Amino acid sequence: MAVTASAGPRPGAPTSGSGSPRPTRFRGPTFSARRTAASLWRPLVLVAALLVAWWAVTATELVAPYILPSPGDTWRTAQENAAYLAENTWVTTWETVIGFLIAAVVGEFVAVMMVYSASLEKTVYPLILFAQVVPKIAIAPLFIVWLGFGPSPKILIAVLMAFFPIVISGLAGLRSVDPEILELTSTMGASRFKTFMKIRFPASLPQLMSGLKVAATLAVTGAVVGEFVGANEGLGYVILQANGNVDTAMLFAALIIMSVLGIVLFAIIEIAEKLLIPWHSSRRITKSATSA
């Protein structure tokens, strides 16, 4: 007599304590929204606490208004000069973005060249380090003399500020590949280009993204530094004008906008990182930490 085997749970399927298959939890948009909210509430609470402390210090007149304006005065100044601030914010934004993109492309290209050429690395790396050590505010006047008062010197300073972290992170990421994997691809006849596209570049993305996030904030600083030295528009120009007029409310409004600009660029790269390397351990650790 034939014995019919009972169908058990699928191998590898999650089971409950009784041994029956456990239904897979749906992780749709709701779960993603919860995870985002869980990761944002702490910094939002901190910002709210800082605003309350700022308001308390100014409301009790512990500091003179011309030294530290109140949040209300800063908000009113920003509203009354919204068009003026928006126009100058746009100037700084596109100078920052262009400088950052140039630094990203050139920096990654230099990192790739140094990985594949030891002699080039020994020649170029000391020059890159020297350029990073030189204070950008010290050489910014030279760029104004060479390139004039247009956007070119601001973009160039933003490139110089963002270039170094991109090169260093790109170089470290490209070297992080296991040499045995590279030997295996060479043994199997893969070309250098295919090995780069399939092995080296994907493996370098986690460290490269970290460098890009640092570079994005530095590019904002570089553009503003260039506007400090010589400009008639941009957030750096607004800050200089407000400082000269002792208009601390406008000064604080421009500083806050500059900070928000850096945070937005950082967040854009963070989103790109989640889309490009969802497989990396840092992304899994972040997910488990926010879901806990």
Side-chain angles (χ1 to χ4, degrees):
M1 187 169 90
V3 179
T4 305
S6 59
R10 178 175 55 85
T15 58
S16 60
S18 60
S20 59
R22 186 170 56 196
T24 303
R25 184 179 178 183
F26 176 71
R27 296 174 179 256
T30 303
F31 180 79
S32 178
R34 287 179 182 175
R35 191 169 62 213
T36 303
S39 63
L40 287 179
W41 74 266
R42 292 178 181 86
L44 290 177
V45 168
L46 177 60
V47 170
L50 292 175
L51 286 174
V52 170
W54 181 11
W55 173 82
V57 170
T58 54
T60 54
E61 298 183 352
L62 295 176
V63 181
Y66 68 87
I67 296 177
L68 181 66
S70 66
D73 291 340
T74 303
W75 176 252
R76 281 191 296 272
T77 301
Q79 281 187 316
E80 293 170 359
N81 300 275
Y84 173 72
L85 288 171
E87 180 182 353
N88 288 280
T89 300
W90 167 247
V91 172
T92 302
T93 300
W94 76 264
E95 289 172 352
T96 300
V97 171
I98 293 176
F100 171 74
L101 292 177
I102 294 174
V105 174
V106 177
E108 181 64 10
F109 177 77
V110 171
V112 171
M113 292 297 101
M114 287 195 295
V115 163
Y116 284 102
S117 174
S119 60
L120 179 64
E121 179 183 358
K122 293 176 182 178
T123 303
V124 174
Y125 194 86
L127 297 177
I128 295 175
L129 182 60
F130 175 78
Q132 176 63 20
V133 171
V134 175
K136 306 304 179 292
I137 190 68
I139 59 176
L142 287 176
F143 296 153
I144 299 296
V145 172
W146 294 340
L147 302 175
F149 285 87
S152 300
K154 291 81 171 178
I155 294 173
L156 181 56
I157 297 173
V159 170
L160 291 178
M161 292 286 287
F163 180 75
F164 188 74
I166 294 175
V167 171
I168 297 302
S169 60
L171 189 61
L174 292 169
R175 284 178 171 168
S176 64
V177 184
D178 190 344
E180 294 182 357
I181 296 178
L182 297 177
E183 290 179 7
L184 177 62
T185 57
S186 177
T187 303
M188 297 178 67
S191 63
R192 280 192 170 187
F193 178 75
K194 185 170 289 187
T195 302
F196 173 78
M197 296 302 297
K198 298 293 184 180
I199 305 295
R200 277 194 183 273
F201 184 69
S204 71
L205 282 177
Q207 296 193 52
L208 177 60
M209 285 296 174
S210 299
L212 289 175
K213 286 187 280 190
V214 175
T217 57
L218 290 177
V220 178
T221 305
V224 173
V225 165
E227 292 166 353
F228 281 162
V229 177
N232 53 9
E233 56 184 355
L235 289 177
Y237 172 76
V238 173
I239 292 172
L240 280 181
Q241 291 292 106
N243 188 47
N245 298 328
V246 199
D247 188 357
T248 51
M250 177 66 78
L251 178 63
F252 269 67
L255 288 174
I256 291 171
I257 293 172
M258 188 178 76
S259 301
V260 170
L261 175 59
I263 292 171
V264 169
L265 293 176
F266 186 95
I268 291 173
I269 299 173
E270 182 79 13
I271 294 171
E273 182 181 15
K274 291 181 179 179
L275 296 176
L276 290 173
I277 53 172
W279 45 266
H280 193 248
S281 58
S282 62
R283 303 258 56 92
R284 296 196 295 270
I285 292 172
T286 303
K287 289 180 181 179
S288 18
T290 53
S291 59

